Amino acid sequence: MIFFFKPTYVFDKVKDITPDFLKKHGIKGLLLDLDNTLTTHNNPVVPQSSLDWIELMKQSGIKLMIVSNNHAPRVTPFAQQLGINFECEGAKPLTFGYSRAIKRMGLKKSEVAAVGDQIFTDIMGSNLKGIRSFFVFPIKPEESLPFRFKRACEKPFLPKLNK
């Protein structure tokens, strides 16, 4: 059971994932969570660090797609700013969104990894799908009671940062 909550790799922030690391591990595509992975929760503005990182990935030939549990009105403008495709209403930790995204990318499961900040959605969904999972620590803690509760439940499963 613990396997489902264990990421394959751990990074502090998404910008710490490098093209060299991906190529070394045979990863040609990334499925990206949105909130607290690429930007703060519900923020419509793309931070410069995410813009720079996305551009680096594109220049390196890495395929990118957002897979979010959010609805289209949240995801569409953000994905358009980044110039990448998306799957909204991904239903993570279920694997429907990941399956659709992998098919659209034209890659094999073995060539894809998913990146996210939540153990019970992003990491569990990746592991259920049988793809590598990259945990990144949240950009900023959410303040709403439901998120604080979820983060408290995740605490025993939080990984340590790879050194």
Side-chain angles (χ1 to χ4, degrees):
M1 183 70 160
I2 296 289
F3 160 79
F4 290 117
F5 306 130
K6 185 174 174 34
T8 312
Y9 298 102
V10 180
F11 297 90
D12 186 32
K13 301 293 176 216
V14 74
K15 67 179 178 58
D16 297 330
I17 302 167
T18 66
D20 288 341
F21 179 88
L22 298 175
K23 288 181 180 166
K24 178 180 170 187
H25 291 89
I27 297 169
K28 297 178 181 180
L30 292 176
L31 307 176
L32 305 168
D33 179 50
L34 178 56
D35 286 325
N36 251 334
T37 299
L38 295 175
T39 190
T40 52
H41 191 76
N42 284 330
N43 184 355
V45 179
V46 180
Q48 189 61 49
S49 60
S50 290
L51 287 169
D52 294 344
W53 182 79
I54 293 287
E55 189 56 36
L56 174 65
M57 291 294 131
K58 287 179 180 178
Q59 289 175 3
S60 300
I62 304 297
K63 292 185 177 187
L64 304 169
M65 186 173 292
I66 293 172
V67 178
S68 175
N69 284 349
N70 274 301
H71 304 293
R74 165 70 178 126
V75 182
T76 303
F78 198 89
Q80 288 173 338
Q81 290 177 66
L82 292 173
I84 61 176
N85 289 323
F86 64 91
E87 284 289 335
C88 57
E89 301 179 24
K92 297 179 285 184
L94 302 177
T95 61
F96 305 119
Y98 287 144
S99 296
R100 291 189 306 262
I102 293 168
K103 184 176 182 177
R104 286 178 62 195
M105 293 172 98
L107 296 174
K108 300 175 198 162
K109 280 187 351 180
S110 62
E111 299 173 319
V112 175
V115 181
D117 69 297
Q118 292 188 55
I119 298 292
F120 297 149
T121 55
D122 307 312
I123 302 307
M124 186 175 179
S126 304
N127 290 334
L128 287 170
K129 182 63 186 166
I131 60 176
R132 287 173 275 187
S133 55
F134 291 5
F135 178 84
V136 294
F137 290 91
I139 294 170
K140 179 181 173 192
E142 303 90 350
E143 297 180 11
S144 72
L145 188 57
F147 267 105
R148 288 191 350 238
F149 177 74
K150 187 191 311 188
R151 294 291 185 186
C153 292
E154 285 182 339
K155 205 168 239 174
F157 303 103
L158 286 177
K160 301 280 189 257
L161 189 60
N162 295 343
K163 295 289 178 190

PDB file of all heavy atoms in Angstrom, residues 8 11 16 25 37 47 49 62 68 83 86 90 100 102 107 111 120 123-124 130 134-136 138 146 158 161:
ATOM      1  N   THR A   8       8.924   8.277  -7.428  1.00  0.00           N
ATOM      2  CA  THR A   8      10.150   7.712  -7.996  1.00  0.00           C
ATOM      3  C   THR A   8      11.335   8.623  -7.695  1.00  0.00           C
ATOM      4  O   THR A   8      12.410   8.149  -7.333  1.00  0.00           O
ATOM      5  CB  THR A   8      10.005   7.536  -9.520  1.00  0.00           C
ATOM      6  OG1 THR A   8       8.759   6.889  -9.803  1.00  0.00           O
ATOM      7  CG2 THR A   8      11.146   6.703 -10.083  1.00  0.00           C
ATOM      8  N   PHE A  11      12.171  16.316  -6.020  1.00  0.00           N
ATOM      9  CA  PHE A  11      12.853  17.572  -6.343  1.00  0.00           C
ATOM     10  C   PHE A  11      12.270  18.663  -5.460  1.00  0.00           C
ATOM     11  O   PHE A  11      11.104  18.590  -5.062  1.00  0.00           O
ATOM     12  CB  PHE A  11      12.640  17.951  -7.820  1.00  0.00           C
ATOM     13  CG  PHE A  11      13.218  16.956  -8.777  1.00  0.00           C
ATOM     14  CD1 PHE A  11      12.457  15.890  -9.223  1.00  0.00           C
ATOM     15  CD2 PHE A  11      14.527  17.071  -9.219  1.00  0.00           C
ATOM     16  CE1 PHE A  11      12.980  14.958 -10.105  1.00  0.00           C
ATOM     17  CE2 PHE A  11      15.058  16.144 -10.099  1.00  0.00           C
ATOM     18  CZ  PHE A  11      14.284  15.084 -10.543  1.00  0.00           C
ATOM     19  N   ASP A  16      14.093  22.367 -10.838  1.00  0.00           N
ATOM     20  CA  ASP A  16      15.244  21.517 -10.540  1.00  0.00           C
ATOM     21  C   ASP A  16      15.290  20.258 -11.411  1.00  0.00           C
ATOM     22  O   ASP A  16      16.283  19.532 -11.394  1.00  0.00           O
ATOM     23  CB  ASP A  16      15.244  21.127  -9.061  1.00  0.00           C
ATOM     24  CG  ASP A  16      15.395  22.338  -8.151  1.00  0.00           C
ATOM     25  OD1 ASP A  16      16.039  23.325  -8.572  1.00  0.00           O
ATOM     26  OD2 ASP A  16      14.848  22.316  -7.028  1.00  0.00           O
ATOM     27  N   HIS A  25      17.484   9.296 -17.943  1.00  0.00           N
ATOM     28  CA  HIS A  25      16.518   8.297 -17.494  1.00  0.00           C
ATOM     29  C   HIS A  25      15.512   7.903 -18.579  1.00  0.00           C
ATOM     30  O   HIS A  25      14.508   7.250 -18.288  1.00  0.00           O
ATOM     31  CB  HIS A  25      15.798   8.814 -16.244  1.00  0.00           C
ATOM     32  CG  HIS A  25      16.712   8.878 -15.063  1.00  0.00           C
ATOM     33  ND1 HIS A  25      17.477   9.987 -14.772  1.00  0.00           N
ATOM     34  CD2 HIS A  25      17.009   7.956 -14.115  1.00  0.00           C
ATOM     35  CE1 HIS A  25      18.203   9.746 -13.689  1.00  0.00           C
ATOM     36  NE2 HIS A  25      17.948   8.522 -13.281  1.00  0.00           N
ATOM     37  N   THR A  37       2.524  23.482  -8.453  1.00  0.00           N
ATOM     38  CA  THR A  37       3.638  22.854  -9.146  1.00  0.00           C
ATOM     39  C   THR A  37       4.243  23.861 -10.116  1.00  0.00           C
ATOM     40  O   THR A  37       5.436  24.144 -10.060  1.00  0.00           O
ATOM     41  CB  THR A  37       3.181  21.585  -9.895  1.00  0.00           C
ATOM     42  OG1 THR A  37       2.662  20.646  -8.940  1.00  0.00           O
ATOM     43  CG2 THR A  37       4.327  20.940 -10.657  1.00  0.00           C
ATOM     44  N   PRO A  47       4.421  32.341 -13.433  1.00  0.00           N
ATOM     45  CA  PRO A  47       5.674  32.926 -12.948  1.00  0.00           C
ATOM     46  C   PRO A  47       6.780  32.806 -13.998  1.00  0.00           C
ATOM     47  O   PRO A  47       6.799  31.858 -14.789  1.00  0.00           O
ATOM     48  CB  PRO A  47       6.024  32.091 -11.720  1.00  0.00           C
ATOM     49  CG  PRO A  47       4.889  31.195 -11.464  1.00  0.00           C
ATOM     50  CD  PRO A  47       4.020  31.182 -12.667  1.00  0.00           C
ATOM     51  N   SER A  49       9.771  31.962 -13.651  1.00  0.00           N
ATOM     52  CA  SER A  49      10.556  30.733 -13.490  1.00  0.00           C
ATOM     53  C   SER A  49       9.911  29.560 -14.232  1.00  0.00           C
ATOM     54  O   SER A  49      10.610  28.740 -14.835  1.00  0.00           O
ATOM     55  CB  SER A  49      10.732  30.393 -12.010  1.00  0.00           C
ATOM     56  OG  SER A  49       9.471  30.203 -11.388  1.00  0.00           O
ATOM     57  N   ILE A  62      11.710  17.925 -25.005  1.00  0.00           N
ATOM     58  CA  ILE A  62      10.853  17.228 -24.051  1.00  0.00           C
ATOM     59  C   ILE A  62       9.402  17.617 -24.334  1.00  0.00           C
ATOM     60  O   ILE A  62       9.070  18.803 -24.387  1.00  0.00           O
ATOM     61  CB  ILE A  62      11.223  17.577 -22.590  1.00  0.00           C
ATOM     62  CG1 ILE A  62      12.707  17.288 -22.305  1.00  0.00           C
ATOM     63  CG2 ILE A  62      10.296  16.873 -21.599  1.00  0.00           C
ATOM     64  CD1 ILE A  62      13.113  15.838 -22.438  1.00  0.00           C
ATOM     65  N   SER A  68      -4.513  18.226 -15.111  1.00  0.00           N
ATOM     66  CA  SER A  68      -5.018  18.885 -13.911  1.00  0.00           C
ATOM     67  C   SER A  68      -6.412  18.372 -13.563  1.00  0.00           C
ATOM     68  O   SER A  68      -7.189  18.020 -14.454  1.00  0.00           O
ATOM     69  CB  SER A  68      -5.075  20.401 -14.149  1.00  0.00           C
ATOM     70  OG  SER A  68      -5.664  21.061 -13.052  1.00  0.00           O
ATOM     71  N   GLY A  83       1.910  27.772 -23.896  1.00  0.00           N
ATOM     72  CA  GLY A  83       2.007  27.190 -25.230  1.00  0.00           C
ATOM     73  C   GLY A  83       2.104  25.674 -25.216  1.00  0.00           C
ATOM     74  O   GLY A  83       2.801  25.084 -26.034  1.00  0.00           O
ATOM     75  N   PHE A  86      -3.133  20.389 -22.808  1.00  0.00           N
ATOM     76  CA  PHE A  86      -3.573  20.024 -21.463  1.00  0.00           C
ATOM     77  C   PHE A  86      -4.710  19.028 -21.502  1.00  0.00           C
ATOM     78  O   PHE A  86      -5.403  18.890 -22.503  1.00  0.00           O
ATOM     79  CB  PHE A  86      -4.002  21.267 -20.680  1.00  0.00           C
ATOM     80  CG  PHE A  86      -5.199  21.958 -21.265  1.00  0.00           C
ATOM     81  CD1 PHE A  86      -6.488  21.641 -20.854  1.00  0.00           C
ATOM     82  CD2 PHE A  86      -5.047  22.939 -22.230  1.00  0.00           C
ATOM     83  CE1 PHE A  86      -7.589  22.279 -21.397  1.00  0.00           C
ATOM     84  CE2 PHE A  86      -6.130  23.584 -22.774  1.00  0.00           C
ATOM     85  CZ  PHE A  86      -7.417  23.251 -22.360  1.00  0.00           C
ATOM     86  N   GLY A  90      -8.769  15.771 -14.886  1.00  0.00           N
ATOM     87  CA  GLY A  90      -7.980  14.552 -14.979  1.00  0.00           C
ATOM     88  C   GLY A  90      -8.383  13.451 -14.020  1.00  0.00           C
ATOM     89  O   GLY A  90      -7.954  12.315 -14.178  1.00  0.00           O
ATOM     90  N   ARG A 100      -5.198   9.612 -21.291  1.00  0.00           N
ATOM     91  CA  ARG A 100      -5.503  10.479 -22.445  1.00  0.00           C
ATOM     92  C   ARG A 100      -4.276  11.291 -22.852  1.00  0.00           C
ATOM     93  O   ARG A 100      -3.967  11.424 -24.036  1.00  0.00           O
ATOM     94  CB  ARG A 100      -6.672  11.409 -22.121  1.00  0.00           C
ATOM     95  CG  ARG A 100      -8.005  10.704 -21.987  1.00  0.00           C
ATOM     96  CD  ARG A 100      -9.170  11.683 -21.880  1.00  0.00           C
ATOM     97  NE  ARG A 100      -9.039  12.674 -20.834  1.00  0.00           N
ATOM     98  CZ  ARG A 100      -9.601  12.603 -19.635  1.00  0.00           C
ATOM     99  NH1 ARG A 100     -10.355  11.564 -19.302  1.00  0.00           N
ATOM    100  NH2 ARG A 100      -9.436  13.571 -18.748  1.00  0.00           N
ATOM    101  N   ILE A 102      -0.996  10.678 -22.310  1.00  0.00           N
ATOM    102  CA  ILE A 102       0.063   9.840 -22.883  1.00  0.00           C
ATOM    103  C   ILE A 102      -0.276   9.486 -24.327  1.00  0.00           C
ATOM    104  O   ILE A 102       0.580   9.545 -25.215  1.00  0.00           O
ATOM    105  CB  ILE A 102       0.293   8.569 -22.030  1.00  0.00           C
ATOM    106  CG1 ILE A 102       0.873   8.961 -20.662  1.00  0.00           C
ATOM    107  CG2 ILE A 102       1.199   7.577 -22.744  1.00  0.00           C
ATOM    108  CD1 ILE A 102       0.862   7.842 -19.637  1.00  0.00           C
ATOM    109  N   LEU A 107       3.623   8.872 -26.884  1.00  0.00           N
ATOM    110  CA  LEU A 107       4.763   8.241 -26.216  1.00  0.00           C
ATOM    111  C   LEU A 107       4.338   6.958 -25.525  1.00  0.00           C
ATOM    112  O   LEU A 107       3.152   6.725 -25.294  1.00  0.00           O
ATOM    113  CB  LEU A 107       5.360   9.207 -25.188  1.00  0.00           C
ATOM    114  CG  LEU A 107       5.957  10.502 -25.730  1.00  0.00           C
ATOM    115  CD1 LEU A 107       6.368  11.418 -24.592  1.00  0.00           C
ATOM    116  CD2 LEU A 107       7.142  10.216 -26.645  1.00  0.00           C
ATOM    117  N   GLU A 111       8.330   6.129 -21.334  1.00  0.00           N
ATOM    118  CA  GLU A 111       9.014   7.354 -21.739  1.00  0.00           C
ATOM    119  C   GLU A 111       8.445   8.598 -21.064  1.00  0.00           C
ATOM    120  O   GLU A 111       8.850   9.704 -21.375  1.00  0.00           O
ATOM    121  CB  GLU A 111       8.888   7.533 -23.263  1.00  0.00           C
ATOM    122  CG  GLU A 111       9.518   6.419 -24.055  1.00  0.00           C
ATOM    123  CD  GLU A 111       9.241   6.516 -25.541  1.00  0.00           C
ATOM    124  OE1 GLU A 111       8.095   6.852 -25.935  1.00  0.00           O
ATOM    125  OE2 GLU A 111      10.182   6.255 -26.313  1.00  0.00           O
ATOM    126  N   PHE A 120      -1.494  12.263  -2.597  1.00  0.00           N
ATOM    127  CA  PHE A 120      -2.722  11.492  -2.785  1.00  0.00           C
ATOM    128  C   PHE A 120      -3.374  11.675  -4.150  1.00  0.00           C
ATOM    129  O   PHE A 120      -4.345  10.987  -4.461  1.00  0.00           O
ATOM    130  CB  PHE A 120      -3.734  11.821  -1.694  1.00  0.00           C
ATOM    131  CG  PHE A 120      -3.274  11.443  -0.306  1.00  0.00           C
ATOM    132  CD1 PHE A 120      -3.687  12.179   0.778  1.00  0.00           C
ATOM    133  CD2 PHE A 120      -2.431  10.370  -0.082  1.00  0.00           C
ATOM    134  CE1 PHE A 120      -3.273  11.853   2.066  1.00  0.00           C
ATOM    135  CE2 PHE A 120      -2.009  10.036   1.196  1.00  0.00           C
ATOM    136  CZ  PHE A 120      -2.437  10.780   2.277  1.00  0.00           C
ATOM    137  N   ILE A 123       1.083  11.705  -7.140  1.00  0.00           N
ATOM    138  CA  ILE A 123       1.988  10.561  -6.967  1.00  0.00           C
ATOM    139  C   ILE A 123       1.211   9.253  -7.016  1.00  0.00           C
ATOM    140  O   ILE A 123       1.588   8.321  -7.735  1.00  0.00           O
ATOM    141  CB  ILE A 123       2.796  10.687  -5.652  1.00  0.00           C
ATOM    142  CG1 ILE A 123       3.597  11.998  -5.638  1.00  0.00           C
ATOM    143  CG2 ILE A 123       3.702   9.465  -5.459  1.00  0.00           C
ATOM    144  CD1 ILE A 123       4.481  12.251  -6.845  1.00  0.00           C
ATOM    145  N   MET A 124       0.112   9.187  -6.313  1.00  0.00           N
ATOM    146  CA  MET A 124      -0.693   7.968  -6.321  1.00  0.00           C
ATOM    147  C   MET A 124      -1.205   7.669  -7.733  1.00  0.00           C
ATOM    148  O   MET A 124      -1.160   6.522  -8.192  1.00  0.00           O
ATOM    149  CB  MET A 124      -1.855   8.080  -5.347  1.00  0.00           C
ATOM    150  CG  MET A 124      -2.640   6.811  -5.204  1.00  0.00           C
ATOM    151  SD  MET A 124      -3.897   7.018  -3.931  1.00  0.00           S
ATOM    152  CE  MET A 124      -4.671   5.425  -3.987  1.00  0.00           C
ATOM    153  N   GLY A 130       1.382   3.342 -13.555  1.00  0.00           N
ATOM    154  CA  GLY A 130       2.616   2.623 -13.869  1.00  0.00           C
ATOM    155  C   GLY A 130       3.643   3.487 -14.573  1.00  0.00           C
ATOM    156  O   GLY A 130       4.455   2.992 -15.358  1.00  0.00           O
ATOM    157  N   PHE A 134       7.401  12.233 -10.195  1.00  0.00           N
ATOM    158  CA  PHE A 134       8.336  13.225  -9.671  1.00  0.00           C
ATOM    159  C   PHE A 134       7.575  14.090  -8.678  1.00  0.00           C
ATOM    160  O   PHE A 134       6.693  14.849  -9.070  1.00  0.00           O
ATOM    161  CB  PHE A 134       8.862  14.138 -10.785  1.00  0.00           C
ATOM    162  CG  PHE A 134       9.776  13.493 -11.780  1.00  0.00           C
ATOM    163  CD1 PHE A 134      10.064  12.143 -11.779  1.00  0.00           C
ATOM    164  CD2 PHE A 134      10.365  14.271 -12.748  1.00  0.00           C
ATOM    165  CE1 PHE A 134      10.916  11.570 -12.711  1.00  0.00           C
ATOM    166  CE2 PHE A 134      11.223  13.724 -13.693  1.00  0.00           C
ATOM    167  CZ  PHE A 134      11.498  12.373 -13.674  1.00  0.00           C
ATOM    168  N   PHE A 135       7.932  13.989  -7.418  1.00  0.00           N
ATOM    169  CA  PHE A 135       7.319  14.842  -6.399  1.00  0.00           C
ATOM    170  C   PHE A 135       8.107  16.141  -6.309  1.00  0.00           C
ATOM    171  O   PHE A 135       9.341  16.120  -6.252  1.00  0.00           O
ATOM    172  CB  PHE A 135       7.327  14.145  -5.035  1.00  0.00           C
ATOM    173  CG  PHE A 135       6.751  14.986  -3.929  1.00  0.00           C
ATOM    174  CD1 PHE A 135       5.387  15.033  -3.720  1.00  0.00           C
ATOM    175  CD2 PHE A 135       7.586  15.738  -3.110  1.00  0.00           C
ATOM    176  CE1 PHE A 135       4.856  15.810  -2.707  1.00  0.00           C
ATOM    177  CE2 PHE A 135       7.067  16.519  -2.099  1.00  0.00           C
ATOM    178  CZ  PHE A 135       5.691  16.561  -1.891  1.00  0.00           C
ATOM    179  N   VAL A 136       7.396  17.262  -6.318  1.00  0.00           N
ATOM    180  CA  VAL A 136       8.000  18.564  -6.043  1.00  0.00           C
ATOM    181  C   VAL A 136       7.267  19.160  -4.850  1.00  0.00           C
ATOM    182  O   VAL A 136       6.060  18.994  -4.709  1.00  0.00           O
ATOM    183  CB  VAL A 136       7.937  19.518  -7.262  1.00  0.00           C
ATOM    184  CG1 VAL A 136       8.793  18.991  -8.397  1.00  0.00           C
ATOM    185  CG2 VAL A 136       6.519  19.759  -7.732  1.00  0.00           C
ATOM    186  N   PRO A 138       5.364  21.823  -2.631  1.00  0.00           N
ATOM    187  CA  PRO A 138       4.455  22.896  -3.045  1.00  0.00           C
ATOM    188  C   PRO A 138       5.143  24.259  -3.032  1.00  0.00           C
ATOM    189  O   PRO A 138       5.955  24.542  -2.157  1.00  0.00           O
ATOM    190  CB  PRO A 138       3.337  22.865  -2.006  1.00  0.00           C
ATOM    191  CG  PRO A 138       3.474  21.567  -1.298  1.00  0.00           C
ATOM    192  CD  PRO A 138       4.883  21.105  -1.462  1.00  0.00           C
ATOM    193  N   PRO A 146      -9.886  22.534   3.746  1.00  0.00           N
ATOM    194  CA  PRO A 146      -9.754  21.226   3.090  1.00  0.00           C
ATOM    195  C   PRO A 146      -8.314  20.905   2.663  1.00  0.00           C
ATOM    196  O   PRO A 146      -7.850  19.773   2.825  1.00  0.00           O
ATOM    197  CB  PRO A 146     -10.667  21.338   1.861  1.00  0.00           C
ATOM    198  CG  PRO A 146     -11.643  22.416   2.199  1.00  0.00           C
ATOM    199  CD  PRO A 146     -10.905  23.363   3.096  1.00  0.00           C
ATOM    200  N   LEU A 158       5.325  12.131   3.205  1.00  0.00           N
ATOM    201  CA  LEU A 158       6.173  13.089   2.501  1.00  0.00           C
ATOM    202  C   LEU A 158       7.599  12.562   2.383  1.00  0.00           C
ATOM    203  O   LEU A 158       8.186  12.107   3.368  1.00  0.00           O
ATOM    204  CB  LEU A 158       6.176  14.450   3.188  1.00  0.00           C
ATOM    205  CG  LEU A 158       4.914  15.280   3.031  1.00  0.00           C
ATOM    206  CD1 LEU A 158       5.041  16.572   3.818  1.00  0.00           C
ATOM    207  CD2 LEU A 158       4.618  15.577   1.578  1.00  0.00           C
ATOM    208  N   LEU A 161      14.076  15.108   0.428  1.00  0.00           N
ATOM    209  CA  LEU A 161      14.680  15.625  -0.795  1.00  0.00           C
ATOM    210  C   LEU A 161      15.917  14.819  -1.136  1.00  0.00           C
ATOM    211  O   LEU A 161      16.778  14.587  -0.281  1.00  0.00           O
ATOM    212  CB  LEU A 161      15.025  17.103  -0.609  1.00  0.00           C
ATOM    213  CG  LEU A 161      15.474  17.874  -1.828  1.00  0.00           C
ATOM    214  CD1 LEU A 161      14.401  17.866  -2.915  1.00  0.00           C
ATOM    215  CD2 LEU A 161      15.773  19.317  -1.445  1.00  0.00           C
TER     216      LEU A 161
END
